[in-house]
Amino acid sequence: MIRLASSFSSPSCAVMDFEGKRLGILRGFAGFASLLLLLFSLSLIWVLTEQTPTQTGDLTRWFANIVDDVRRGSAKESDSEAGEGEPDSSAQTSPCSIVEQPVDSSVRIGELVSFKVVANDAVAYLWGCTDPGTPGWYQIGGVDATKAKYEFEMTKDLAWMEECNIRCLVTFADGSSSYSDEVHIEFRDVMREGKSFRRFAHIIEFGAVGLFASLSALLLLGDRFSLHQLAAGCLVFCMLNSLLDQLHKLFVPGREFDVIDLGLDAIGYALAISLIFGAWRHLHRSSLNRSSVSSGLESKV
């Protein structure tokens, strides 16, 4: 009976050994892949820290332009959907009337501000604006101030126009006149907009460091140390890299040590370490429960 039982158990043990070796090889490959991704994340952080404020502003401007394109595309789609099924207003208006009103403009420094009014039988246009300091309307200077389309380039000197209302006085062929709707300019500072993006980037960057550091430690060193030891080691490793990143800024022109960034880094890697180790612990407990149940069934058999 003992020989018979051993003859039945030997193939299963061989299969289990083979599966164990295969899982060990896969675990090693996954661990080294996580280690390479960790080194890549740290290298990327180093490169980004080497960026001067001007270069960082260019990167932020590029990202802001992408967000603007997406936002404006969705706004155009919503406007087109809202306009479907509406009757043609130009066919119902009187000969001397404004057909198309100007709309608000949202711009940044260096971009073109554009307002346009469309009117039937118009002979003259006169654009005006309010002064933030005094009441009343004043004529806007420039060549385009007497045209149906008023355009100018936004500069820092014209940022005060964000507080102004703008409208156009349209004079018609019959001598009558009419004011367009009042519109305003929304001045957008790229550096101010990008500041929140850069803050959020710190959470993402060190969240990736915490993620790959945790995976590397668990996959490569999980058999040698306890979960508490590995988690503490990952936490110290991420803290040191965050501190070195801030010290690195002291040697980059225009950059400075920022305590707030240290806190944002901590949020990123603390969340990543907690999630990875929590998931690993849950999977380990589930595996132990399954093995205990299977061993109990075999003992009964």
Side-chain angles (χ1 to χ4, degrees):
M1 291 294 292
I2 296 175
R3 292 180 180 178
L4 183 61
S6 63
S7 63
F8 280 110
S9 61
S10 296
S12 62
C13 292
V15 172
M16 291 178 63
D17 291 340
F18 176 76
E19 291 293 334
K21 291 180 180 179
R22 188 176 68 174
L23 289 176
I25 294 174
L26 293 176
R27 181 173 176 176
F29 275 117
F32 281 109
S34 300
L35 185 60
L36 290 176
L37 290 173
L38 173 61
L39 295 176
F40 174 77
S41 301
L42 293 174
S43 302
L44 182 61
I45 292 174
W46 179 275
V47 172
L48 292 176
T49 305
E50 283 287 328
Q51 302 289 316
T52 63
T54 303
Q55 293 170 329
T56 306
D58 294 338
L59 181 63
T60 303
R61 189 176 295 106
W62 171 78
F63 179 79
N65 288 332
I66 294 178
V67 174
D68 273 351
D69 291 340
V70 174
R71 186 183 302 170
R72 290 172 182 174
S74 60
K76 288 181 180 179
E77 290 180 359
S78 61
D79 291 342
S80 61
E81 291 177 358
E84 291 180 357
E86 295 183 356
D88 187 5
S89 59
S90 61
Q92 302 176 2
T93 56
S94 60
C96 297
S97 61
I98 297 177
V99 178
E100 181 180 336
Q101 298 285 352
V103 295
D104 297 337
S105 181
S106 177
V107 295
R108 297 188 294 268
I109 292 178
E111 292 184 341
L112 196 65
V113 181
S114 180
F115 297 107
K116 180 182 178 181
V117 62
V118 178
N120 294 328
D121 295 336
V123 295
Y125 303 90
L126 186 61
W127 291 89
C129 70
T130 57
D131 190 333
T134 58
W137 288 83
Y138 301 89
Q139 180 181 349
I140 299 177
V143 178
D144 291 341
T146 57
K147 297 180 180 179
K149 190 175 184 180
Y150 176 60
E151 292 182 335
F152 64 92
E153 183 179 350
M154 173 57 71
T155 62
K156 289 184 178 180
D157 297 335
L158 297 176
W160 58 271
M161 294 190 69
E162 183 181 16
E163 303 178 9
C164 299
N165 291 328
I166 297 175
R167 69 183 181 184
C168 182
L169 175 61
V170 182
T171 304
F172 301 100
D174 61 357
S176 62
S177 60
S178 177
Y179 284 106
S180 68
D181 293 342
E182 297 179 8
V183 292
H184 72 281
I185 303 171
E186 179 187 359
F187 176 68
R188 302 179 61 188
D189 188 352
V190 175
M191 300 306 296
R192 183 177 59 190
E193 288 180 346
K195 191 173 183 179
S196 58
F197 166 71
R198 292 194 301 273
R199 297 290 192 192
F200 181 73
H202 274 273
I203 300 177
I204 300 300
E205 291 169 355
F206 278 88
V209 172
L211 170 68
F212 297 126
S214 300
L215 290 176
S216 301
L218 289 170
L219 293 172
L220 298 177
L221 303 174
D223 297 334
R224 302 179 184 179
F225 301 94
S226 66
L227 288 181
H228 296 288
Q229 292 174 332
L230 291 176
C234 290
L235 189 62
V236 173
F237 174 80
C238 293
M239 289 174 62
L240 290 176
N241 279 279
S242 176
L243 181 61
L244 289 175
D245 180 53
Q246 294 303 316
L247 293 175
H248 182 194
K249 290 181 179 180
L250 298 176
F251 300 94
V252 180
R255 306 294 295 273
E256 59 183 9
F257 192 98
D258 195 340
V259 180
I260 297 178
D261 289 344
L262 286 176
L264 295 174
D265 296 342
I267 293 175
Y269 60 72
L271 285 175
I273 293 173
S274 301
L275 290 174
I276 295 301
F277 276 88
W280 187 275
R281 186 176 182 181
H282 176 72
L283 292 175
H284 183 65
R285 286 183 175 179
S286 300
S287 178
L288 290 177
N289 292 333
R290 286 196 299 268
S291 61
S292 62
V293 170
S294 60
S295 62
L297 292 176
E298 291 178 357
S299 63
K300 290 181 180 180
V301 174

